[in-house]
Amino acid sequence: MNLGRRFFLLNSITVLIAIVATSVAAVVFFAVLASVYGRNSTMEDLKRVYEVRAGFGEIKRRAAAANFENFLDAGFQKELAVSVKALGADAALVKNREIIFSTKKMDRLDLEKCLGFLPRNDEEGVIELNNRTYILDYIDFNSHEGSKELLLLMAPVKVNMQFYQILILFTISFFVLTFVGLNLWVSISFSKGVIAPVSRLKKAASLISSGDLSCEIVEEGEGEVRELCRTLEQMRIKLKESVYLQEKYDENRKFLVSSISHDLKTPVTSIKGYIEGVLDGVAKTPEKMQTYLETARDKALLVNAMIDDLLLYSKLDLNQIPFNFEKTDMKKYFEDCVADHQYEFEKARIHIEFVYEAKESIFALIDKERMKRVIQNILDNSKKYMNRTDGKIQLILRETRTSLIIEVKDNGAGIDEEALPYIFERFYRGDASRKSSEGSGLGLAIARQIVEGHDGRIWAVSAPGQGTSILISLKKV
């Protein structure tokens, strides 16, 4: 329900409740007040008023069937006198403000007073004559001659004016207080549900427009206001995420530019040196020239690989690369991974093998291409820092109740304990030998980004001289 309809409904209910509550309160108060003033006398007075009004209604009904001239007949007047006396009332025939017939002695002042207090729309009125209260009613005969012809009906009643004044005052006061109280409640509710939240929204919008996106917008209020709060909070969150991504992108760009200029300096210098060697005639023989050119090509490929790694890491860091997850038999998958690298590692005199420690097949949702990049980066890292002639790398697959564990274990140089927490950070190389090695310094950082994109976890266990184990935990399906 929109705010306009809600506000209209609340006001309508307010009026209705005020009327009903006032009616009930008036009835109760009347009963209490009647007991104070005397219930019997009060009820008798009301009964008297009811009987008089009913009798006047009957007289008016009969008189309406006649005309004024009929009442000039003595028989009609006698019948009229009997009827009103039976009610303890009086009647008077008036023509052009003159009394033609009356069952009660009335002077000019009484007549004018009655004519001045005639009720409208043929309703009964109340008038005071000679310190007595009368119910006043009348019939207006429409004369064709244009004269004013009336039948006045008067009945003395005992009306305790104080009783009715108190009752009327109580009824009006109770209605006003109830109506004001309910309107106050509606106003407070409307203020809490609409005005206060809108004021807070205005303040929040002002903060957002000034660039402060830290102020959380609470979902509050009624109807459209609550929806507006929700919409603005979603907008604030998206703006904050956008600003965060932009800041992160700018930070990455600055860092990457700085790192690129540092890491690319060595291979680019080498490429320049070998090419200048060829141009300056240092490589005089065809064999030496070919060696120089092949070395320059290798350095160029290294530069290209570093740039690819930098771009891939930047995209992963900004969540700009979607993952294509597939349910995969992990045993077969890693057997293929080891087979793909078998020849390369045998050529480097490093033994590589796959060890499967589970009893049954293990399945997981992975992006096959991205996970291959993870394994490749870890294996390349192990091969790069292998310092033994009997190098050995094992890819071990095991499982727990809910997860599968992939361990890439080598018997290389190992990593210092102080450096171990930082090996997955970008461009980190723990010791002098690693700092001088070729590569982008992003292999393990890219691996971590991809594993975390699979809702997994990656960590390392190592000690100097005892080799390194890189472990990956993924959810089973």
Side-chain angles (χ1 to χ4, degrees), residues 27-43 160 163:
V27 171
V28 174
F29 187 75
F30 176 84
V32 174
L33 198 63
S35 65
V36 174
Y37 281 88
R39 182 180 297 274
N40 291 334
S41 61
T42 303
M43 296 306 295
N160 191 331
F163 175 88

Side-chain angles (χ1 to χ4, degrees), residues 46-319:
L46 291 175
K47 182 179 180 182
R48 164 70 176 159
V49 171
Y50 174 78
E51 289 175 350
V52 168
R53 288 180 174 174
F56 279 0
E58 179 62 23
I59 293 172
K60 288 171 66 176
R61 185 185 63 79
R62 293 200 306 266
N67 53 48
F68 188 76
E69 285 73 17
N70 294 131
F71 283 95
L72 298 179
D73 182 71
F76 263 87
Q77 293 176 358
K78 184 177 181 179
E79 184 180 349
L80 175 63
V82 172
S83 298
V84 296
K85 289 300 179 183
L87 295 172
D90 291 292
L93 293 172
V94 180
K95 182 175 182 180
N96 296 328
R97 309 184 80 85
E98 296 290 339
I99 298 176
I100 297 176
F101 168 78
S102 177
T103 60
K104 170 182 168 53
K105 185 177 180 181
M106 295 179 63
D107 56 22
R108 167 63 64 178
L109 183 61
D110 291 341
L111 176 61
E112 292 297 331
K113 193 172 183 180
C114 289
L115 294 177
F117 282 90
L118 289 178
R120 296 181 179 181
N121 300 325
D122 292 337
E123 295 178 354
E124 297 130 340
V126 178
I127 190 172
E128 292 285 334
L129 293 176
N130 301 321
N131 296 323
R132 294 191 67 181
T133 303
Y134 288 83
I135 291 178
L136 179 64
D137 201 355
Y138 73 100
I139 299 175
D140 187 1
F141 294 95
N142 296 319
S143 174
H144 298 290
E145 299 175 0
S147 60
K148 189 70 172 178
E149 299 167 345
L150 299 173
L151 170 61
L152 296 179
L153 300 171
M154 296 173 291
V157 292
K158 184 181 178 181
V159 179
N160 191 331
M161 297 305 295
Q162 186 180 15
F163 175 88
Y164 289 105
Q165 287 172 357
I166 294 174
L167 179 62
I168 292 171
L169 180 62
F170 169 81
T171 303
I172 294 174
S173 301
F174 187 88
F175 176 80
V176 171
L177 290 174
T178 304
F179 184 74
V180 170
L182 288 172
N183 269 277
L184 184 62
W185 173 76
V186 169
S187 298
I188 293 173
S189 300
F190 192 75
S191 176
K192 288 182 178 179
V194 178
I195 299 176
V198 167
S199 298
R200 285 188 280 273
L201 279 177
K202 181 181 178 182
K203 182 179 179 181
S206 178
L207 291 173
I208 290 173
S209 65
S210 63
D212 184 1
L213 300 175
S214 61
C215 179
E216 181 180 357
I217 300 174
V218 180
E219 189 175 317
E220 59 180 345
E222 302 290 341
E224 293 93 333
V225 177
R226 179 176 289 271
E227 293 178 6
L228 181 59
C229 289
R230 185 186 306 117
T231 302
L232 284 178
E233 174 63 8
Q234 291 173 353
M235 182 192 73
R236 183 193 70 84
I237 292 173
K238 289 182 179 179
L239 283 174
K240 191 173 182 180
E241 290 176 351
S242 176
V243 170
Y244 170 75
L245 288 175
Q246 185 62 39
E247 290 176 350
K248 191 172 183 181
Y249 175 78
D250 292 340
E251 179 186 351
N252 282 348
R253 184 181 61 182
K254 293 177 183 178
F255 188 82
L256 291 176
V257 168
S258 175
S259 300
I260 287 171
S261 62
H262 179 272
D263 288 356
L264 294 183
K265 185 175 181 180
T266 300
V268 170
T269 301
S270 297
I271 293 171
K272 180 182 177 183
Y274 283 111
I275 292 176
E276 287 178 350
V278 172
L279 293 175
D280 293 342
V282 175
K284 296 180 179 181
T285 65
E287 294 80 7
K288 197 169 185 180
M289 184 179 293
Q290 183 176 358
T291 302
Y292 272 42
L293 292 175
E294 287 180 353
T295 304
R297 182 192 63 186
D298 292 341
K299 296 293 182 181
L301 292 174
L302 174 61
V303 170
N304 188 65
M306 291 173 66
I307 293 173
D308 288 342
D309 283 349
L310 288 167
L311 292 175
L312 176 60
Y313 177 81
S314 180
K315 289 181 179 179
L316 287 170
D317 199 36
L318 296 174
N319 297 318

